[in-house]
């Protein structure tokens, strides 16, 4: 296995454990739940085939579902987000040749484009997971509050993880 594959496996293990053990038990003001394990899906290389991306995303969501008793909601939302990853990335980067690295990051996309990409993907995931969870529009204000504040909280944590993942030599560039 290559160094990159091992890094992604280790990152996936750490993010799933952190999600299941820590972040699933955080609910700020009864609306904001951080979803950080999806960071792995966002960082998967764009050179990875769609089949592999969907498979990795499905199993990542399924593992979180198993330990969280969410009955496949994360598996469905992760698979849909993985399916939308390339079209969303093409909204902000018209040509894949413009990327300096195969995995989306602040270094390869630039700060503004990466923030838009991360925000769009996080909003899509949070919208999907909370609509699937509620399965009703009975309380639309509560639904919108959960989507907005969970997106904000997840973004802050994922940006912190991203700053930890970027080596010091890459930060200087």
């Amino acid at each position: 296995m290559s160094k990159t594959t091992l890094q992604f496996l280790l990152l996936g293990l750490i993010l799933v454990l952190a999600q299941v053990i820590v972040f699933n038990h955080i609910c700020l003001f009864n609306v904001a739940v951080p979803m950080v394990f999806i960071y792995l899906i966002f960082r998967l290389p764009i050179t990875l085939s769609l089949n592999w991306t969907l498979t990795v995303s499905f199993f990542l969501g399924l593992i979180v579902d198993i330990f969280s008793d969410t009955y496949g909601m994360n598996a469905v939302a992760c698979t849909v987000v993985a399916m939308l990853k390339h079209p969303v990335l093409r909204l902000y980067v018209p040509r894949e040749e413009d990327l300096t690295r195969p995995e989306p990051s602040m270094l390869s996309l630039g700060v503004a484009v990466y923030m838009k990409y991360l925000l769009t993907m996080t909003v899509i995931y949070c919208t999907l997971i909370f609509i699937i969870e509620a399965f009703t529009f009975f309380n639309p204000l509560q639904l919108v509050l959960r989507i907005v504040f969970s997106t904000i909280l997840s973004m802050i944590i994922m940006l912190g993880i991203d700053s930890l993942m970027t080596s010091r030599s890459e930060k200087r560039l």
Side-chain angles (χ1 to χ4, degrees), residues 12-147:
L13 179 68
I14 290 169
L15 288 177
V16 167
L17 285 175
Q19 183 70 44
V20 170
I21 295 171
V22 178
F23 294 119
N24 278 351
H25 302 288
I26 296 174
C27 186
L28 296 179
F29 308 112
N30 205 21
V31 291
V33 178
M35 305 287 184
V36 297
F37 74 99
I38 57 176
Y39 176 74
L40 184 72
I41 299 169
F42 304 159
R43 286 293 299 258
L44 285 174
I46 59 169
T47 55
L48 194 63
S49 73
L50 181 61
N51 290 337
W52 276 109
T53 304
L54 291 174
T55 303
V56 167
S57 300
F58 172 77
F59 282 114
L60 185 68
L62 187 64
I63 291 169
V64 172
D65 283 333
I66 289 170
F67 292 110
S68 302
D69 286 335
T70 49
Y71 308 109
M73 294 187 305
N74 286 302
V76 169
C78 285
T79 306
V80 171
V81 163
M83 189 71 176
L84 295 174
K85 180 182 173 186
H86 286 289
V88 168
L89 197 55
R90 276 192 218 110
L91 284 174
Y92 304 119
V93 181
R95 296 183 318 192
E96 291 179 5
E97 296 85 32
D98 292 342
L99 293 176
T100 57
R101 293 175 168 220
E103 58 189 50
S105 66
M106 270 194 213
L107 182 64
S108 65
L109 296 174
V111 176
V113 173
Y114 183 70
M115 293 286 284
K116 288 187 249 180
Y117 165 71
L118 198 64
L119 178 66
T120 305
M121 294 298 286
T122 308
V123 166
I124 291 169
Y125 179 82
C126 288
T127 302
L128 284 170
I129 197 72
F130 290 125
I131 286 176
I132 292 169
E133 181 185 12
F135 209 66
T136 180
F137 294 107
F138 181 71
N139 193 349
L141 179 62
Q142 180 73 15
L143 181 65
V144 169
L145 286 175
R146 290 185 77 187
I147 291 169

